[in-house]
Amino acid sequence: MKKYIFTICLGLAVVILGSNSAMGRDAARDLKRMIGYTIVDASWVVNTIETKDGSKLVELGNGTTYKVELLLLDPLPITDVIVFAKKTGDVILVKLLIDNEAYDAFLVSKK
């Protein structure tokens, strides 16, 4: 019986430690894509609207709305959002960090 319990505990430890290192690799991958970006704003999700082309409009609590192309699941209201921007030539690139995932975004409106 003790051997059985030890085996279960060891298995759980491997799963927990493995998932933490996997999350670390995901965070590192996202952070690599953020080189050159600066935090320009922070807010929260008020509403998410799906558009006809399959992208989503994310309305933030500060009155800004961003179009996000690859956002599969709608974030919950009150989810924190960090807005990053980077100027390359005449173009300003924007990324939103939602639920610890970085998404390319386009500013649609600002109040």
Side-chain angles (χ1 to χ4, degrees), residues 46-93:
V46 173
N47 192 18
T48 306
I49 303 165
E50 188 158 352
T51 64
K52 292 179 183 178
D53 66 359
S55 62
K56 299 201 178 174
L57 298 177
V58 179
E59 297 176 358
L60 301 182
N62 62 5
T64 58
T65 301
Y66 291 91
K67 181 178 181 179
V68 181
E69 303 265 332
L70 299 174
L71 185 61
L72 299 177
L73 300 174
D74 291 351
L76 296 173
I78 309 176
T79 299
D80 288 327
V81 176
I82 307 297
V83 182
F84 294 87
K86 171 171 126 175
K87 187 169 184 177
T88 57
D90 293 336
V91 178
I92 297 176
L93 303 175

Side-chain angles (χ1 to χ4, degrees), residues 2-108:
K2 287 182 182 180
K3 190 174 185 179
Y4 179 71
I5 293 173
F6 175 75
T7 304
I8 291 175
C9 289
L10 182 61
L12 287 173
V14 168
V15 168
I16 291 170
L17 292 175
S19 66
N20 285 341
S21 65
M23 287 189 318
R25 284 193 301 272
D26 290 343
R29 188 177 312 121
D30 280 342
L31 288 174
K32 271 200 298 191
R33 296 186 315 197
M34 303 305 289
I35 293 173
Y37 283 84
T38 303
I39 296 174
V40 295
D41 202 1
S43 192
W44 62 94
V45 174
V46 173
N47 192 18
T48 306
I49 303 165
E50 188 158 352
T51 64
K52 292 179 183 178
D53 66 359
S55 62
K56 299 201 178 174
L57 298 177
V58 179
E59 297 176 358
L60 301 182
N62 62 5
T64 58
T65 301
Y66 291 91
K67 181 178 181 179
V68 181
E69 303 265 332
L70 299 174
L71 185 61
L72 299 177
L73 300 174
D74 291 351
L76 296 173
I78 309 176
T79 299
D80 288 327
V81 176
I82 307 297
V83 182
F84 294 87
K86 171 171 126 175
K87 187 169 184 177
T88 57
D90 293 336
V91 178
I92 297 176
L93 303 175
V94 177
K95 288 190 182 281
L96 300 183
L97 185 67
I98 305 170
D99 285 333
N100 295 326
E101 185 75 32
Y103 298 95
D104 292 326
F106 305 94
L107 181 63
V108 175

